[in-house]
Amino acid sequence: MSVLVNKDSKIIVQGFTGSEGTFHASQMIEYGTNVVGGVTPGKGGTTHLDRPVFNTVEEAVVKAEANTSIIFVPPAFAADAIMEAADAGIKVIICITEGIPVADMIKAYDYIKSRDCRLVGPNCPGVITPEEAKVGIMPGFVFKKGKVGIVSKSGTLTYEAADQVVKQGLGITTAIGIGGDPIIGTTTKEAVELLMNDPETECIIMIGEIGGQLEADAARWVKADGNRKPVVGFIAGETAPKGRTMGHAGAIVGGADDTAEAKKRIMRENGIHVVDSPAEIGKKVKEVLG
């Protein structure tokens, strides 16, 4: 059992023949991910990276039985790509694209709510279940199979946490990069819940950042759920000036509860093992797992 993606996932790449799509799809294939084809309108019937190219997602679902999609479509067209995937019956939609206009994401978010699918992202590094499927842009060699799940708003901190966990002699079940935009498909709480309900995951790392309520909501849910598994938490952006947009569009400190300090306090109050530096994540996981 794994969360969101595994060796049986049938993955297509939207924006397959573009430079980003080509580069990352070839890395995914090299990793052993089951990429069954890609979508580039107007190029259907050709092949790319030894995989079939389809004109539409619907065609990829019918002909290649695709159930998972990763999106490398330019920002102006990415929301449409998300809606097309949802319409075609794709179950897991992972959108890597950065810079999608917020108005477009509001439309896409509302549109897919009534569909039977899960969106991860946008502006995220993707999802990896080590040694089974890498559906994203993360460096696969960092991740080894194990029993620790990761939920993170930050791509680089996802890799850092995974590297530390592996160096402690442990490994990763699934790492979910949820993305740093104001409107995202899967929240911190929803991702933590997926890992909490995964029998192979014994500990969860939750990496957040200043801005928004996602980490506070997740922390309260963990406590309400009975703290079934230990959660190690870190919040990035402690030294960020108030009211400034940082690298992620969602990292804007609005109210008093949006600061790193406040988030860490809320997390501690709800039984989460909070570390003050990302360098302490691996050691803390080892400690709580005994």
Side-chain angles (χ1 to χ4, degrees):
M1 166 123 181
S2 64
V3 173
L4 297 173
V5 300
N6 60 29
K7 62 182 186 309
D8 299 321
S9 300
K10 293 183 173 175
I11 295 139
I12 52 161
V13 180
Q14 287 174 260
F16 190 33
T17 57
S19 58
E20 293 281 312
T22 299
F23 176 77
H24 291 294
S26 58
Q27 300 270 310
M28 285 160 54
I29 291 165
E30 201 177 305
Y31 189 78
T33 309
N34 185 22
V35 176
V36 295
V39 176
T40 301
K43 293 195 178 173
T46 62
T47 58
H48 184 61
L49 305 178
D50 294 328
R51 302 291 190 280
V53 182
F54 303 101
N55 283 318
T56 63
V57 178
E58 187 177 17
E59 194 185 345
V61 170
V62 171
K63 292 185 177 166
E65 297 177 354
N67 57 18
T68 303
S69 173
I70 181 166
I71 297 174
F72 291 104
V73 170
F77 312 107
D80 280 345
I82 291 168
M83 293 187 281
E84 183 191 351
D87 247 358
I90 294 284
K91 296 291 180 246
V92 177
I93 304 164
I94 296 168
C95 185
I96 307 299
T97 308
E98 187 177 350
I100 301 176
V102 174
D104 287 7
M105 264 321 291
I106 291 170
K107 195 169 111 188
Y109 183 85
D110 276 348
Y111 186 83
I112 65 170
K113 264 202 300 218
S114 58
R115 306 287 190 293
D116 176 24
C117 64
R118 176 175 292 281
L119 170 66
V120 178
N123 185 16
C124 78
V127 180
I128 184 167
T129 295
E131 292 158 40
E132 292 196 39
K134 168 173 114 92
V135 192
I137 59 174
M138 63 286 287
F141 68 90
V142 171
F143 297 81
K144 300 282 179 282
K145 210 170 201 38
K147 54 190 180 182
V148 181
I150 301 177
V151 174
S152 176
K153 268 191 189 172
S154 158
T156 43
L157 285 175
T158 309
Y159 323 148
E160 175 64 30
D163 189 48
Q164 286 185 32
V165 166
V166 169
K167 283 179 175 155
Q168 291 291 338
L170 301 160
I172 308 299
T173 47
T174 299
I176 307 168
I178 63 168
D181 276 6
I183 294 169
I184 52 174
T186 298
T187 63
T188 305
K189 173 198 155 296
E190 288 164 345
V192 166
E193 193 172 344
L194 286 171
L195 292 167
M196 204 56 94
N197 294 328
D198 170 42
E200 287 176 15
T201 301
E202 292 176 23
C203 173
I204 298 165
I205 296 170
M206 181 170 108
I207 298 171
E209 64 189 10
I210 54 166
Q213 292 294 310
L214 293 186
E215 300 83 3
D217 292 346
R220 292 182 183 113
W221 179 86
V222 167
K223 187 175 183 181
D225 183 58
N227 294 93
R228 280 185 285 148
K229 296 173 185 177
V231 180
V232 172
F234 172 71
I235 299 291
E238 190 128 30
T239 55
K242 283 184 184 159
R244 176 87 55 87
T245 304
M246 304 309 283
H248 283 168
I252 307 169
V253 176
D257 276 0
D258 288 6
T259 64
E261 213 173 300
K263 285 192 183 196
K264 292 198 307 196
R265 189 194 70 245
I266 292 165
M267 282 159 68
R268 286 192 177 106
E269 284 166 1
N270 286 283
I272 287 167
H273 305 270
V274 179
V275 294
D276 291 317
S277 158
E280 296 163 17
I281 293 171
K283 281 182 285 200
K284 181 57 83 175
V285 168
K286 180 98 170 170
E287 187 188 305
V288 300
L289 280 173

